[in-house]
Amino acid sequence: MANRIKKGDQVVVIAGKDKGKQGEVIKVDGDRVVVSNVNLVKRHTKPNPQAGIAGGVVEREASIHISNVMPLNPATGKGERIGYKVLEDGRKLRVFRSSGEALDA
């Protein structure tokens, strides 16, 4: 089954230590997603002058499981479930199950 969450979607975290936080999906990798300013971890990095990396303790986002996030409906401000609607020309469109309005523009 295709993922219901794509890069660039606004999502809300529904489980875990960051429950309730909202952010944009930066990366989707299989069944894991990276969301901006969610699940921040500290990593000790070595300096790399060739790549322009200073080194030290760097804070960055770690991935979380895709089942712990839900697409955010801007009309209601809540996370809502996603369904699909097939258009006449055969394309699939992601829609919110509660209202039926399209998620994709």
Side-chain angles (χ1 to χ4, degrees):
M1 184 187 293
N3 278 341
R4 288 174 160 80
I5 295 173
K6 296 181 181 179
K7 180 179 175 179
D9 285 351
Q10 290 292 323
V11 295
V12 60
V13 180
I14 58 171
K17 66 175 180 136
D18 293 315
K19 181 177 180 176
K21 287 189 180 178
Q22 299 175 0
E24 183 178 339
V25 175
I26 299 171
K27 180 181 173 187
V28 178
D29 187 24
D31 62 350
R32 300 192 71 79
V33 292
V34 178
V35 182
S36 62
N37 296 320
V38 173
N39 197 21
L40 295 173
V41 294
K42 292 185 189 301
R43 289 285 178 253
H44 296 264
T45 59
K46 251 181 159 175
N48 185 350
Q50 291 176 337
I53 298 171
V57 180
V58 178
E59 197 170 34
R60 64 183 178 104
E61 295 98 353
S63 67
I64 57 176
H65 199 269
I66 202 164
S67 66
N68 293 333
V69 296
M70 190 175 252
L72 182 71
N73 188 344
T76 61
K78 295 180 181 178
E80 294 190 10
R81 295 186 303 157
I82 293 292
Y84 287 98
K85 187 170 140 184
V86 180
L87 301 176
E88 295 83 26
D89 58 356
R91 290 185 297 131
K92 274 175 146 181
L93 188 66
R94 293 185 301 160
V95 294
F96 289 110
R97 290 241 178 113
S98 62
S99 61
E101 66 182 72
L103 179 64
D104 302 314

